[in-house]
Amino acid sequence: DCFKAFYVHKFRAMLGKNRLIFPGEKVLLAWSGGPSSSSMVWQVLEGLSQDSAKRLRFVPGVIFVDEGAAFGKSLEERSKTLAEVKPILQATGLPWHVVALEEVFSLPPSVLRCSAQEPAGSEGAYKAAVDSFLQQQHVLGAGGGPGPTQGKEQPPQPRLDPQSLARPPAAAQTEALSQLFCSVRTLTAKEELLQTLRTHLILHMARAHGYSKVMTGDSCTRLAIKLMTNLALGRGAFLAWDTGFSDERHGDVVVVRPMRDHTLKEVAFYNRLFSVPSVFTPAVDTKAPEKASIHRLMEAFILRLQTQFPSTVSTVYRTSEKLVKAPRDGPAASDSSPCCLLCMCALDVDAADSATAFGAQTSSRLSQMQSPTPLTETRTPLGPCCSPGVGRVQGCGQGACRREDPQACIEEQLCYSCRVNMKDLPSLDLLPPYMLAEAQLRTQRAWVLQEIQDCLIEDSDDEAGQS
Amino acid sequence: MPAPPCASCHASRAALRRPRSGQALCGACFCAAFEAEVLHTVLAGRLLPPGAVVAVGASGGKDSTVLAHVLRALTPRLGISLQLVAVDEGIGGYRDAALAAVRRQAARWELPLTVVAYEDLFGGWTMDAVARSTAGSGRSRSCCTFCGVLRRRALEEGARRVGATHIVTGHNADDMAETVLMNFLRGDAGRLARGGGLGSPGEGGALPRCRPLQFASQKEVVLYAHFRRLDYFSEECVYAPEAFRGHARDLLKRLEAARPSAVLDLVHSAERLALAPAARPPRPGACSRCGALASRALCQACALLDGLNRGRPRLAIGKGRRGW
């Protein structure tokens, strides 16, 4: 009992402390079938059914992504998993969606664009929203019993999502997806790609059905591992977004992690004691040896270190709380700074020849093209015309060059770690069409922007010009 | 199967493959490329202005040997002059052998050498004595904590004695990567905020320090030493097995096996960390006892020595319980 109270309190406190979820808001719960997300869904269900003072006040829906095609599961195995998944989803009583990962091939390029951000709600705005909501409830007759009262105010959600369930995914898409994943050379890059595609898919579903928040069930242990893994992948600049409570890089849809405070052990105990239903779905790295990918290595390392130094996970977690989402050049540049094509974070690469780790890697590539004299000057970049730059396609003035080297043009639009991942992909043509289309569009926009640069009026720094 | 021709001079047979790029190069071209990259790091980061007197922290090991050699080759280009400063921590069976190597190198390169000993600087405390003093405390000895802090003080002192304007150390990319991993695992937000750049610019009267080998991986340093036939001391410190860094080093080795660019990816991550202002260390002032750079009333070296002298060696290690 005490354990349950403590567990539930942690969950509610995490939501309440951050005050990001407004009453009446539609929230999509990303359920993978695993213990943490199952526990999260269970918590939400319990929270919805409590008496009105402490009831959770948002409108949830559940989504399950079927990733079987990414690692070669046959259709029978996938339908078997789906058969296990469906009863659990139906038992939740919430609107649920099942999507297959193949649907990434029919996503529109708009998924990759950061929509306009809503102004961040201040403390006052949250309180005002809660007050007005309570008033509304009161007016509508607060005598309404427990249950999804919000459902009465909106047009009834379809309990079933006929599109994504009735029709199995097109065989061509399945084939394309498995081809894409088979062509990736390392397990590390596969896992990263899978995560990216899954995020985009969930994002798209959330936007399509009007959800403004997505909740994922990452637990404390998983987040500590994720933090260290991302450090090793070169994502040091984005740690706050990847492992913090809220992740607003997509603009209109915010990803929230309410299980951040719960360790895997607690989740396991809770699920066992209170029989929380969960489904085991094999992932791309199930039964992979420890050395297979950076994710596996980090996981094994941290769990092993944890046995020797029991405070490891909590130390890493506390350190992650000290990270901030600092834009590099200050708030003024946030609107115009280019975002990575895949992970949608602000690009973190400098000019090619600077004295940074990135600079060291690019300049060593260029040095192979010159005859070595021991004490040469700092080299003039010879390299391909599309020299890596911060999104601005400097050398790409000529349209012909652009078409010759599409790989480099896509690479320029990626952040450091996405670039490293893409190196493991022999051919970028196998990527889903929405990525290629968006990359093409951005390249064209940048080229056009450069052409008309002289005519554009921009905000000048000095205030004197503006009366 | 005969070796392929060198990728840059196309004349001689390739003798090695660069670990990072897999490029096949002959010995001379590789050494030239290595030197060019170090030069690039120094110039692009504006680390050593012309006319600087540079104190090289020489331990006799491969990193400082390679550093001294490369810098010596680059001195006409950069317009600097070099001084070797070696620190004698008083670790029997290890440091004396290393110092012999340093003396040989100084003689061969004709560079002035200054040796600074812990015994003289820190009131008779050698590392062996420190280890004995902290041995009985039940927990691990944390020798590296003492050694690291005291060595930096000793280096600074040695550099001042020879009139240097900059201090360079031979930290390579692997060291930087291990450091950032270690700092995260131990939750050391202060060090995370401070590290990751190109060295410190020298605030509050301390000499500016930098690490020209920062972007060279350890394998390349070893390869360079091999091809230039440098004589260095290659054994591990006697106290190394107890260090926490060993875990980070082990992890780094595995990461590198899984993905060769992992080392530089970590260095890149370290450069871009954004920590909350509250977590950053306060602006440093001066130590009340010795006048060196300190972020609290006493600099860490004085605090550690204080603890040793009072017979309470763990006094300054970890967070102070009484909020000092």
Side-chain angles (χ1 to χ4, degrees):
Chain A
D1 260 352
C2 285
F3 174 69
K4 178 169 185 173
F6 157 77
Y7 192 87
V8 173
H9 169 75
K10 259 207 214 181
F11 184 77
R12 305 300 294 269
M14 180 59 72
L15 286 179
K17 195 169 48 166
N18 284 291
R19 296 193 166 196
L20 271 183
I21 303 193
F22 284 62
E25 214 176 346
K26 289 181 69 174
V27 174
L28 188 59
L29 307 175
W31 182 61
S32 64
S36 308
S37 47
S38 307
S39 191
M40 176 181 76
V41 172
W42 191 257
Q43 292 293 310
V44 169
L45 286 178
E46 294 228 318
L48 284 176
S49 60
Q50 280 179 342
D51 48 343
S52 57
K54 293 195 270 184
R55 185 175 354 177
L56 286 177
R57 295 193 188 100
F58 54 84
V59 182
V62 189
I63 184 170
F64 175 80
V65 178
D66 171 21
E67 297 162 0
F71 28 95
K73 294 254 165 288
S74 65
L75 274 179
E76 300 84 51
E77 290 174 318
R78 290 168 65 186
S79 45
K80 206 162 55 139
T81 315
L82 282 180
E84 286 178 47
V85 160
K86 255 197 327 179
I88 303 183
L89 284 176
Q90 278 168 338
T92 60
L94 301 170
W96 53 271
H97 315 272
V98 172
V99 273
L101 195 63
E102 286 90 326
E103 307 218 357
V104 289
F105 284 97
S106 34
L107 285 182
S110 58
V111 162
L112 294 175
R113 289 179 211 139
C114 311
S115 312
Q117 298 190 2
E118 296 176 2
S122 58
E123 287 294 307
Y126 183 80
K127 200 145 186 353
V130 173
D131 288 339
S132 71
F133 180 81
L134 288 174
Q135 272 185 353
Q136 236 180 19
Q137 285 286 9
H138 191 71
V139 163
L140 283 175
T149 56
Q150 290 85 350
K152 293 193 210 120
E153 292 154 11
Q154 296 161 351
Q157 285 274 336
R159 289 279 122 172
L160 205 69
D161 196 350
Q163 268 84 16
S164 35
L165 202 51
R167 148 179 74 90
Q173 288 185 334
T174 312
E175 182 59 36
L177 191 67
S178 63
Q179 228 184 8
L180 171 62
F181 273 90
C182 286
S183 76
V184 181
R185 286 191 277 249
T186 60
L187 188 60
T188 310
K190 259 191 227 193
E191 292 205 38
E192 286 292 297
L193 185 63
L194 183 64
Q195 233 171 31
T196 310
L197 292 177
R198 190 197 304 148
T199 310
H200 291 169
L201 191 59
I202 295 184
L203 193 62
H204 175 73
M205 292 299 291
R207 279 193 183 136
H209 295 268
Y211 292 97
S212 54
K213 299 267 188 316
V214 174
M215 274 196 189
T216 56
D218 296 305
S219 61
C220 183
T221 316
R222 286 268 165 247
L223 280 179
I225 296 175
K226 186 169 187 188
L227 185 121
M228 299 298 294
T229 309
N230 283 2
L231 205 60
L233 290 171
R235 294 182 64 83
F238 316 130
L239 289 177
W241 282 278
D242 289 338
T243 56
F245 174 70
S246 69
D247 179 358
E248 326 87 4
R249 67 181 110 146
H250 305 287
D252 51 349
V253 176
V254 179
V255 179
V256 162
R257 300 185 180 100
M259 301 291 289
R260 204 153 185 254
D261 224 354
H262 304 253
T263 59
L264 263 182
K265 244 188 184 170
E266 290 169 356
V267 171
F269 271 118
Y270 186 88
N271 287 4
R272 175 111 177 126
L273 289 176
F274 298 99
S275 322
V276 174
S278 63
V279 175
F280 172 70
T281 43
V284 72
D285 65 342
T286 303
K287 285 187 157 191
E290 192 184 293
K291 298 192 291 230
S293 74
I294 295 202
H295 303 74
R296 292 286 282 160
L297 271 174
M298 233 4 134
E299 183 182 359
F301 176 76
I302 294 222
L303 294 177
R304 202 173 32 229
L305 205 61
Q306 176 83 357
T307 57
Q308 233 183 325
F309 301 95
S311 60
T312 303
V313 167
S314 53
T315 304
V316 178
Y317 173 66
R318 259 188 302 113
T319 314
S320 80
E321 290 189 318
K322 298 193 182 124
L323 296 165
V324 289
K325 300 168 182 167
R328 280 208 71 210
D329 305 311
S334 57
D335 278 336
S336 53
S337 60
C339 294
C340 171
L341 186 68
L342 293 180
C343 65
M344 281 172 266
C345 297
L347 287 184
D348 62 340
V349 284
D350 267 339
D353 257 359
S354 56
T356 56
F358 176 66
Q361 284 181 310
T362 46
S363 66
S364 69
R365 236 185 297 147
L366 295 171
S367 75
Q368 76 195 58
M369 307 204 185
Q370 282 188 323
S371 56
T373 47
L375 309 168
T376 47
E377 285 276 336
T378 28
R379 50 199 61 80
T380 51
L382 287 181
C385 182
C386 302
S387 53
V390 189
R392 255 175 291 132
V393 185
Q394 281 160 347
C396 267
Q398 304 94 14
C401 148
R402 194 171 8 128
R403 262 162 257 136
E404 265 168 29
D405 210 351
Q407 181 123 356
C409 284
I410 292 188
E411 235 184 53
E412 283 189 2
Q413 298 173 22
L414 299 177
C415 67
Y416 182 92
S417 64
C418 291
R419 282 187 208 208
V420 178
N421 283 336
M422 284 300 124
K423 284 205 188 100
D424 286 336
L425 225 70
S427 140
L428 291 182
D429 298 327
L430 291 173
L431 284 177
Y434 72 98
M435 289 183 187
L436 299 171
E438 179 68 16
Q440 178 84 343
L441 189 70
R442 285 192 196 184
T443 319
Q444 272 178 338
R445 269 194 70 85
W447 181 58
V448 166
L449 194 68
Q450 208 199 10
E451 295 273 288
I452 60 174
Q453 192 66 31
D454 314 326
C455 308
L456 290 177
I457 304 177
E458 288 180 350
D459 291 330
S460 56
D461 281 333
D462 58 303
E463 292 293 328
Q466 310 168 11
S467 45
Chain B
M1 199 167 88
C6 167
S8 67
C9 68
H10 304 288
S12 26
R13 289 247 163 264
L16 66 107
R17 235 172 238 292
R18 285 196 83 163
R20 200 180 301 164
S21 54
Q23 216 190 348
L25 293 174
C26 67
C29 293
F30 169 69
C31 292
F34 188 86
E35 283 163 11
E37 281 162 22
V38 174
L39 177 66
H40 173 65
T41 305
V42 171
L43 286 179
R46 287 190 281 273
L47 298 177
L48 302 174
V53 179
V54 177
V56 178
S59 62
K62 61 178 181 351
D63 296 324
S64 54
T65 306
V66 166
L67 176 69
H69 189 268
V70 171
L71 280 184
R72 188 168 161 273
L74 296 176
T75 42
R77 184 76 181 67
L78 290 172
I80 56 178
S81 65
L82 291 181
Q83 293 269 351
L84 288 179
V85 177
V87 175
D88 176 10
E89 302 105 342
I91 301 178
Y94 166 70
R95 190 42 80 193
D96 17 17
L99 278 182
V102 179
R103 284 184 223 277
R104 282 199 302 272
Q105 289 165 0
R108 194 177 321 126
W109 293 329
E110 291 156 14
L111 287 175
L113 168 67
T114 316
V115 179
V116 190
Y118 278 14
E119 261 189 304
D120 307 324
L121 278 184
F122 301 128
W125 281 104
T126 61
M127 270 318 293
D128 287 338
V130 171
R132 276 194 295 273
S133 151
T134 55
S137 56
R139 282 185 284 172
S140 62
R141 282 199 284 196
S142 57
C143 295
C144 292
T145 308
F146 283 92
C147 192
V149 173
L150 295 178
R151 184 173 333 111
R152 277 161 179 80
R153 280 291 293 127
L155 254 186
E156 182 101 13
E157 185 55 41
R160 274 187 207 288
R161 279 191 200 167
V162 299
T165 54
H166 291 76
I167 298 181
V168 296
T169 47
H171 291 97
N172 55 39
D174 292 51
D175 291 327
M176 308 293 301
E178 283 164 21
T179 304
V180 72
L181 282 174
M182 221 173 63
N183 286 339
F184 254 102
L185 290 171
R186 290 162 70 115
D188 201 335
R191 288 211 173 89
L192 278 175
R194 244 182 287 146
L198 280 171
S200 64
E203 32 191 21
L207 290 177
R209 286 186 256 148
C210 66
R211 304 170 281 234
L213 293 183
Q214 193 165 322
F215 303 118
S217 68
Q218 185 155 301
K219 281 193 185 148
E220 304 214 323
V221 170
V222 176
L223 278 171
Y224 184 86
H226 169 76
F227 277 104
R228 289 285 196 224
R229 284 184 251 281
L230 297 177
D231 156 40
Y232 59 87
F233 179 72
S234 57
E235 285 181 23
E236 207 181 41
C237 173
V238 172
Y239 300 114
E242 305 163 21
F244 188 83
R245 191 174 274 262
H247 294 285
R249 188 163 292 170
D250 186 46
L251 176 65
L252 189 67
K253 285 272 163 293
R254 295 183 205 210
L255 286 177
E256 208 177 348
R259 179 179 270 197
S261 64
V263 176
L264 273 187
D265 295 342
L266 273 169
V267 178
H268 176 85
S269 290
E271 286 165 2
R272 310 277 165 161
L273 284 177
L275 282 153
R280 293 198 200 121
R283 292 220 45 82
C287 169
S288 52
R289 206 174 284 184
C290 65
L293 198 64
S295 51
R296 288 177 286 189
L298 275 189
C299 70
Q300 187 72 350
C302 289
L304 285 175
L305 286 171
D306 220 18
L308 282 174
N309 287 325
R310 283 200 224 167
R312 297 177 54 201
R314 305 200 71 92
L315 187 62
I317 297 185
K319 299 197 175 95
R321 250 171 304 175
R322 256 152 262 154
W324 175 29

